[in-house]
Amino acid sequence: MIEYLIGAGTIGAAALASKFLQFEQAQPTLKIHHRPFPLEWREILKEKWPIYRRLPENLRDQLEQLTLVFLERIEIRGVEGLEITDEIRVLTASQACLLLVNQNTFFPAKLKSVVIRPSAYTATQHDSVGGVQSEREILVLGQSWENGLVVLSWDNTRTGAANAKDGRNLVLHEFAHQLDQADGQADGAPILGSPEQYERWQSVCSRVFADLQAKVNEGDKTLIDEYGATNPAEFFSVVTETFFEKPYYLKKKRPELYELFADYYQVDPLTWT
Ligand SMILES: [Zn+2]
């Protein structure tokens, strides 16, 4: 079993305090200057992304302004012949920025570019089990690198937006990794505001993560996708998808985890119906 990385015994109080000290440096405050949002872009979002349609007005306003900041600061580049359209730009940026509403902050400054591939792609994964090295081809929908690069499959970016109730959203997943990686460590704990918050994070997430791993090992059906049992970093990204797309069930089954994520993301998706 993989320990939750900030679980008891792996990172002590001193490390928690130093994580806390990075808070100010890594999460600069964002001041938003209100600017007009193109009507065509609003139409794209209304048509392609049910969550946008459900958002309360003040969150929708914030999301639009954050989308403009995103498109100004972060380059979106197509590869393998994919031509970047307004639909690709807006749907990518807005889904990512859902993670930032109500937070007065932005993604870490090291996040500079997003590469969009037409569809899922294969990559070689190197495994090492008991000193034995092996290689296998895996299907990849997206990736988030610690140096601030995000790679996304456009097919899955689009379908992830279109189905807002299946608990799967590629863009939320990869950009949640960016929040987790903002302090330089992909450990399943984003930057939080106080040592007490880290303690609460550690306590709630360790418990649910261990429980999810046990259920997956038993072959039981789980609300949080079993990919979340891979490691704490995947747990954070997968729970983020569940939180925004299956809030009712998450709150019902894991109320303490729902509250933790509602406090972190500063929103209550349950009220967006
Ligand atoms: Zn992931």
Side-chain angles (χ1 to χ4, degrees):
M1 156 177 166
I2 306 162
E3 281 268 327
Y4 198 82
L5 290 193
I6 65 158
T10 52
I11 289 191
L16 283 179
S18 90
K19 253 173 123 42
F20 171 57
L21 285 176
Q22 296 164 18
F23 178 66
E24 282 291 315
Q25 302 146 21
Q27 299 278 94
T29 308
L30 178 74
K31 278 208 178 70
I32 285 182
H33 305 283
H34 211 273
R35 291 176 294 177
F37 191 77
L39 284 177
E40 316 85 78
W41 292 7
R42 208 167 269 162
E43 290 307 314
I44 291 171
L45 291 172
K46 274 186 194 161
E47 191 187 331
K48 309 282 179 183
W49 189 27
I51 288 183
Y52 174 83
R53 294 200 291 269
R54 292 204 289 266
L55 280 182
E57 203 178 324
N58 83 320
L59 296 185
R60 207 189 268 196
D61 282 349
Q62 287 185 52
L63 184 77
E64 291 177 352
Q65 293 304 313
L66 286 160
T67 299
L68 295 174
V69 174
F70 188 105
L71 293 174
E72 205 170 73
R73 294 190 183 180
I74 299 169
E75 179 205 25
I76 298 183
R77 194 154 41 93
V79 293
E80 293 168 9
L82 182 73
E83 197 186 311
I84 297 298
T85 59
D86 273 5
E87 181 185 343
I88 295 179
R89 286 156 54 81
V90 174
L91 210 50
T92 302
S94 292
Q95 289 184 83
C97 288
L98 182 64
L99 303 176
L100 303 177
V101 294
N102 279 349
Q103 303 216 53
N104 299 317
T105 187
F106 199 69
F107 290 110
K110 63 186 174 181
L111 173 59
K112 289 268 192 288
S113 53
V114 180
V115 167
I116 316 270
R117 289 172 173 258
S119 49
Y121 49 101
T122 52
T124 307
Q125 178 161 303
H126 301 270
D127 293 314
S128 172
V129 178
V132 181
Q133 310 283 333
S134 64
E135 271 188 15
R136 61 191 173 113
E137 293 290 303
I138 50 163
L139 191 67
V140 183
L141 311 182
Q143 286 170 308
S144 167
W145 296 89
E146 286 198 15
N147 63 8
L149 170 70
V150 171
V151 184
L152 300 169
S153 137
W154 169 238
D155 273 352
N156 301 85
T157 297
R158 198 170 38 80
T159 55
N163 187 334
K165 287 184 173 175
D166 62 355
R168 285 164 188 261
N169 183 297
L170 177 65
V171 178
L172 295 181
H173 182 101
E174 298 305 340
F175 283 89
H177 279 315
Q178 283 293 313
L179 296 176
D180 178 16
Q181 291 164 326
D183 59 5
Q185 294 170 51
D187 58 5
I191 293 169
L192 301 168
S194 71
E196 292 73 28
Q197 282 173 281
Y198 278 108
E199 276 163 32
R200 180 178 164 216
W201 192 274
Q202 172 184 317
S203 142
V204 174
C205 291
S206 304
R207 197 167 56 239
V208 182
F209 179 66
D211 206 37
L212 179 65
Q213 283 199 317
K215 281 207 164 72
V216 170
N217 288 338
E218 291 293 313
D220 292 351
K221 206 165 169 272
T222 57
L223 167 67
I224 300 166
D225 190 274
E226 63 177 50
Y227 189 59
T230 310
N231 58 44
E234 295 308 340
F235 178 78
F236 173 59
S237 282
V238 171
V239 173
T240 295
E241 294 175 84
T242 317
F243 174 73
F244 283 103
E245 294 210 338
K246 291 183 167 179
Y248 173 78
Y249 295 103
L250 188 64
K251 184 159 186 171
K252 195 171 161 194
K253 294 215 159 174
R254 297 284 182 185
E256 75 291 13
L257 189 64
Y258 185 87
E259 292 308 327
L260 186 77
F261 274 62
D263 285 349
Y264 171 63
Y265 283 117
Q266 293 285 300
V267 290
D268 185 2
L270 248 187
T271 61
W272 301 347
T273 45

